[in-house]
Amino acid sequence: MRTAKRVFRLTVCAVMLIILAVWGYNAALRYLYPMRFSTAVQKYSSMYGVEKELVYAVIKCESNFKVDANSYAGAKGLMQLTEETFNDVGAMLGEKDIPDFESSGTDAEINIKYGTKYLSYLLGVFDGDKTAAIAAYNTGMGNVKKWIGEKDSLQYTEIRFNETSGYVRKVQRAESIYKKLYS
């Protein structure tokens, strides 16, 4: 009888530890992969037909949710848009008064709107090929078009820049985590 009670107690403890470990793991992942700026992300991902998890993944990898992030290349904001891309997207949107990049580049709402529209545009250019769209977000469409050539999609092995290859993997891993955590 004593042995049965002991086995039962050990089993209950083990189950409780497993539950705690899983809950703690998910809590830690939610901390590391937050869903900040959800109103803007939901709005623009829906408006432009981009999965919200991809938008969150790009924000996570580009700026780690730092609104005032700046890069050595002059990219700004959550989604790290350059002035040229910012102005191109403003024109794509048909905005008569494109916001000033210097003052609006780090505005969360505008940056998410423009960054998500740009992702939508790239997904369209590359017929929904996420690998190509993410690579182009990092290195530009010209490089990706060269790498693809006449093929239908881009493979990791065809990405000629280590930084871009690593970036694509990082974004896709983050997107996967967002899908698992918040689905």
Side-chain angles (χ1 to χ4, degrees):
M1 190 70 156
R2 273 179 131 179
T3 307
K5 282 185 179 181
R6 186 172 180 188
V7 169
F8 176 76
R9 285 184 187 149
L10 286 173
T11 303
V12 168
C13 284
V15 168
M16 288 175 66
L17 284 172
I18 290 170
I19 290 170
L20 231 125
V22 169
W23 179 82
Y25 177 73
N26 282 338
L29 278 178
R30 285 177 190 266
Y31 176 77
L32 294 171
Y33 293 85
M35 292 182 79
R36 296 181 60 210
F37 310 103
S38 59
T39 302
V41 171
Q42 296 277 356
K43 177 180 176 181
Y44 296 114
S45 65
S46 176
M47 187 180 293
Y48 301 127
V50 178
E51 292 176 329
K52 65 181 184 277
E53 296 88 356
L54 178 57
V55 176
Y56 282 120
V58 168
I59 293 171
K60 169 73 177 157
C61 295
E62 286 288 349
S63 69
N64 202 24
F65 293 89
K66 293 179 186 137
V67 177
D68 59 350
N70 290 295
S71 78
Y72 66 90
K76 289 185 173 213
L78 293 167
M79 297 187 77
Q80 290 291 282
L81 300 170
T82 62
E83 186 169 11
E84 181 182 3
T85 300
F86 187 87
N87 290 329
D88 287 348
V89 172
M92 273 183 228
L93 291 168
E95 295 189 354
K96 293 184 186 353
D97 295 318
I98 297 171
D100 176 60
F101 179 72
E102 287 305 315
S103 59
S104 300
T106 57
D107 178 285
E109 177 91 10
I110 293 171
N111 198 272
I112 291 169
K113 176 182 179 179
Y114 280 41
T116 304
K117 175 61 179 173
Y118 187 53
L119 273 173
S120 173
Y121 170 74
L122 293 172
L123 286 164
V125 166
F126 295 106
D127 297 321
D129 180 356
K130 276 189 192 178
T131 301
I134 295 166
Y137 195 93
N138 177 260
T139 194
M141 286 188 297
N143 288 321
V144 175
K145 285 182 178 182
K146 283 185 223 170
W147 298 337
I148 291 177
E150 299 296 317
K151 297 180 293 301
D152 292 332
S153 64
L154 180 66
Q155 305 300 314
Y156 289 113
T157 55
E158 297 166 328
I159 299 174
R160 301 214 177 100
F161 303 147
N162 288 336
E163 177 191 331
T164 301
S165 178
Y167 176 79
V168 169
R169 290 178 196 269
K170 189 174 163 185
V171 169
Q172 289 182 329
R173 183 174 45 248
E175 180 187 20
S176 175
I177 290 170
Y178 274 105
K179 285 181 177 182
K180 287 176 185 169
L181 273 178
Y182 297 105
S183 61

